[in-house]
Amino acid sequence: MKKAVSVMVLVAVAALSILCFSGIASAGEEIKMVGVITKIDIAGKDAKTATATLKDNKTEALVVITVNDDLTLDKFKDHRIVEGDEIRCKYETIDGKNVSKLFRKTAGC
Amino acid sequence: MKKTGMIAAVFGLALAATTAMAEHPGKESIAKSGYKGPETCEECHPGSAKGFMDTVHWKHASKVTNVDGVDPKKEYGMKNRIYVMCNGNDIVNNLKEIPKSPVTGKSKFTGCNTCHPGNHLSDVGSTGPEAEAAVDCLVCHSTDYDFRQRKASKNEKGQVVMGQDRSTKAALAIGKPTVKNCMVCHEAAGGGVIVKRGFSFTKDTDAHAAKGMVCVDCHKAKNHKIPTGHDPNNWANDNVFISCSDTSCHGGKPHKDADLNRHSAKVACQTCHIPRTGGAFAKDFTVWEQTPDKFYEPTTLKKEANETTPVYAWYNGTVKNTPHFIGPKGSRMDGKSKISPFKIFQGKAFYNKQTGELLSMDFAQPMSNGDTRAGVLSAAKTLGMKDPEKVAKEAVAGWQTIYFGSNHLVTKSKALFCANCHAPNGVLNFKDLGYSDKEIVRLTSPELFMKKLAEKQKEEW
């Protein structure tokens, strides 16, 4: 009986740690970049998602970012953010998509 | 219970008012005759453009009575103030095209008065029929504004004009200002999104935004005079004020818990309910950094909203104002002060060697090639200072510390509770706040909160 309990505890601990690890693994890594928007694709006024292509200032690579947050979508819709704007962006790769966590114009003083 | 019920009802109303926005009664008429600017609105709202001329939003200035060393007969604001969050003002940093970058050969438009609802030909503080016709009513009232129109360009006479969306389409979507309308300018105050105050107003960052409230639910305006508070670094005001404890909002005793209400006499609501602040905490205007587009920006250290721990100081609504410090005045003993939260910001800029006064800077030159003394020279010329070359050449770098009030980013669930202040490692430095050693022993004893927190702990499990 005593043994059974301790095995169960062990299994539970193992399960927990697996959960924790896998939790970390699937969360993906947050990547930061600064780049200029070369293209915005958004489907109309009620769109709940959009993509923006950024040209990375450091590598000149084109990165397609998926934007889902309402505030940024709204800025695409009313053109407060437009092609040519320079953006500071943080994103995570989830299921092959670069999903934006922060998407902000760099413009200063 | 009754009170919470009432508060809920008020929130409910506010929500209903914002979600089910009634159609603007003028819509049909505007659709028929098109939008020609304020004159269209004036047909049914006579005097609104003229009235607007006499507001902070048009003048970027007002008389100021609570700040040390200002002339009570003059007006102060973004138009003419000099401090180190933005080391210039509308006058020295008037909207213009900057010299071409020596690297890329490109120029761009910049100027503080882009955050003004005029067209730049009628600028900050202008008056008369032309100014009245230039007001951009829609930037605050339309939910269908095309911001591609709202940018600077040169007209055929070579004058710099600030564009507006004056389409009939935009004028068909009129209503009370939404959060977005206000944030067009407020979100990026201080040189970029979140910079000045970490001001984010979303359901994740503010308890009122989470309830669906908008700016003007609190900042209710009459004749475009928008009420404000007493932030030590927002001097200009329309002479109407709001505070959290206004009876029309929460009153002075908003809690069921008498222990919390008792603190209102000495502790500002914001101290408990705004435990974090954010935005830039230091800038260097003497050294600008090159950005990837090869223009330059003042070196800036930033944090996100809710990432900065505030400092706490007694504040009675009056402001100390010297070349190296702008911040709250007050004391434990004056009977008017409350302990209030602030963000401390420090900025480095040039000072006049002769007078010790803080100088201002035109951003056009440093933005183009990083030459900050050229910016000081240009500003000194614009202001008509004596021997501007000498002023710029001899200018000495120095730091100014300024305090920003913390009046948004409100939370209920993370509000400070007894032990956050009364435990020995609490957020308040009782000694700096003027309490004696003997008082501090009492104020940091679990005696004050043991029973209450033990009960709470039991409830929560």
Side-chain angles (χ1 to χ4, degrees), chain B residues 46 50 56-57 59 62 71 110 117 142 170 198 223 234 240 242 252 269 294 312 323 378 382 416 425 440:
Chain B
K50 188 152 200 255
V56 168
H57 278 86
K59 296 193 301 179
S62 80
D71 181 342
T110 185
S142 171
N223 299 324
N234 195 210
V240 275
I242 43 168
C269 314
K294 308 299 177 205
Y312 300 93
S378 169
T382 304
L416 300 184
N425 62 345
I440 294 174

Side-chain angles (χ1 to χ4, degrees), chain A residues 75 78-80 104 108, chain B residues 147-148 180 187 297 304:
Chain A
K75 290 183 182 179
D78 62 23
H79 310 291
R80 271 175 296 166
R104 202 174 279 164
Chain B
F147 286 89
R148 281 174 298 193
K180 177 174 97 180
E187 166 179 83
E297 294 263 324
E304 289 297 307

Side-chain angles (χ1 to χ4, degrees), chain A residues 34 45 57 71 74-75 77-80 82 86 88 90 102 104-109, chain B residues 86 110 144-148 180 187 191-194 202 283 292-293 297 304 363 367:
Chain A
V34 181
K45 263 191 110 149
N57 280 335
L71 279 177
D74 200 39
K75 290 183 182 179
K77 288 172 196 169
D78 62 23
H79 310 291
R80 271 175 296 166
V82 294
E86 190 177 69
R88 213 176 282 277
K90 274 191 208 164
L102 183 134
R104 202 174 279 164
K105 272 210 248 197
T106 55
C109 257
Chain B
C86 296
T110 185
D144 195 9
Y145 195 98
D146 181 348
F147 286 89
R148 281 174 298 193
K180 177 174 97 180
E187 166 179 83
V193 176
I194 307 263
T202 66
K283 283 191 191 179
D293 58 11
E297 294 263 324
E304 289 297 307
F363 290 176
M367 197 171 274

Side-chain angles (χ1 to χ4, degrees), chain B residues 352-379:
Chain B
N352 188 324
K353 194 179 169 202
Q354 304 303 322
T355 65
E357 268 162 28
L358 179 62
L359 294 165
S360 59
M361 190 181 280
D362 182 348
F363 290 176
Q365 298 80 9
M367 197 171 274
S368 165
N369 61 15
D371 186 348
T372 51
R373 276 185 203 267
V376 173
L377 174 61
S378 169

Side-chain angles (χ1 to χ4, degrees), chain A residues 17-98:
Chain A
S17 53
I18 288 168
L19 273 175
C20 291
F21 280 122
S22 63
I24 289 164
S26 74
E29 214 180 318
E30 215 169 65
I31 303 166
K32 291 180 189 167
M33 73 176 283
V34 181
V36 174
I37 304 183
T38 59
K39 194 163 162 237
I40 295 174
D41 279 306
I42 181 161
K45 263 191 110 149
D46 303 317
K48 293 271 176 275
T49 181
T51 62
T53 309
L54 299 187
K55 185 166 169 194
D56 192 324
N57 280 335
K58 286 206 184 109
T59 63
E60 306 233 313
L62 293 177
V63 184
V64 179
I65 308 285
T66 300
V67 176
N68 298 323
D69 76 283
D70 292 341
L71 279 177
T72 310
L73 288 174
D74 200 39
K75 290 183 182 179
F76 288 169
K77 288 172 196 169
D78 62 23
H79 310 291
R80 271 175 296 166
I81 295 181
V82 294
E83 286 166 17
D85 283 344
E86 190 177 69
I87 300 293
R88 213 176 282 277
C89 175
K90 274 191 208 164
Y91 63 88
E92 251 173 50
T93 308
I94 300 170
D95 300 333
K97 281 187 183 163
N98 302 324

Side-chain angles (χ1 to χ4, degrees), chain B residues 21-307:
Chain B
M21 212 193 292
E23 188 124 297
H24 175 229
K27 190 171 173 180
E28 216 171 296
S29 153
I30 297 172
K32 216 180 289 157
S33 17
Y35 179 60
K36 299 183 217 58
E39 65 176 90
T40 304
C41 315
E42 294 264 342
E43 281 170 27
C44 305
H45 304 290
S48 43
K50 188 152 200 255
F52 197 81
M53 304 290 105
D54 191 27
T55 66
V56 168
H57 278 86
W58 189 257
K59 296 193 301 179
H60 284 185
S62 80
K63 289 198 170 131
V64 174
T65 54
N66 63 328
V67 179
D68 285 356
V70 302
D71 181 342
K73 291 194 281 293
K74 287 197 184 138
E75 299 202 328
Y76 297 86
M78 195 163 119
K79 179 179 177 180
N80 58 0
R81 270 190 70 189
I82 302 174
Y83 70 170
V84 291
M85 170 54 84
C86 296
N87 183 221
N89 50 51
D90 292 329
I91 295 172
V92 302
N93 260 310
N94 183 18
L95 177 62
K96 59 177 152 305
E97 208 167 16
I98 68 171
K100 289 197 174 75
S101 157
V103 185
T104 61
K106 282 188 192 155
S107 178
K108 65 174 175 179
F109 290 95
T110 185
C112 309
N113 41 353
T114 48
C115 284
H116 180 256
N119 61 3
H120 193 240
L121 300 175
S122 291
D123 195 10
V124 171
S126 56
T127 52
E130 227 173 282
E132 286 164 31
V135 185
D136 190 352
C137 309
L138 304 187
V139 74
C140 285
H141 286 296
S142 171
T143 50
D144 195 9
Y145 195 98
D146 181 348
F147 286 89
R148 281 174 298 193
Q149 309 297 324
R150 197 173 184 281
K151 59 173 197 233
S153 64
K154 272 196 178 152
N155 67 9
E156 58 288 349
K157 288 189 209 145
Q159 298 162 303
V160 178
V161 182
M162 189 69 192
Q164 302 182 1
D165 181 359
R166 290 210 163 186
S167 66
T168 301
K169 180 166 170 278
L172 293 178
I174 293 292
K176 176 171 116 166
T178 62
V179 170
K180 177 174 97 180
N181 291 119
C182 307
M183 281 304 204
V184 167
C185 299
H186 281 267
E187 166 179 83
V193 176
I194 307 263
V195 168
K196 186 180 276 185
R197 304 170 183 278
F199 191 9
S200 156
F201 193 75
T202 66
K203 62 182 188 338
D204 305 321
T205 54
D206 189 287
H208 298 95
K211 298 273 183 194
M213 289 175 73
V214 299
C215 313
V216 296
D217 287 332
C218 298
H219 294 273
K220 287 194 177 79
K222 263 206 201 97
N223 299 324
H224 291 108
K225 297 197 185 300
I226 303 185
T228 185
H230 291 93
D231 179 279
N233 272 291
N234 195 210
W235 298 356
N237 63 78
D238 287 315
N239 206 19
V240 275
F241 297 93
I242 43 168
S243 96
C244 317
S245 50
D246 287 349
T247 42
S248 58
C249 298
H250 294 291
K253 293 190 172 62
H255 313 95
K256 279 168 277 176
D257 187 339
D259 281 337
L260 287 176
N261 287 338
R262 192 150 51 96
H263 284 76
S264 299
K266 293 285 176 187
V267 181
C269 314
Q270 289 92 326
T271 298
C272 290
H273 285 285
I274 310 181
R276 284 283 179 275
T277 161
F281 61 94
K283 283 191 191 179
D284 185 349
F285 283 96
T286 66
V287 177
W288 288 38
E289 291 180 308
Q290 199 174 42
T291 53
D293 58 11
K294 308 299 177 205
F295 292 122
Y296 291 77
E297 294 263 324
T299 315
T300 304
L301 302 178
K302 286 184 231 183
K303 295 223 173 179
E304 289 297 307
N306 281 325
E307 275 189 0

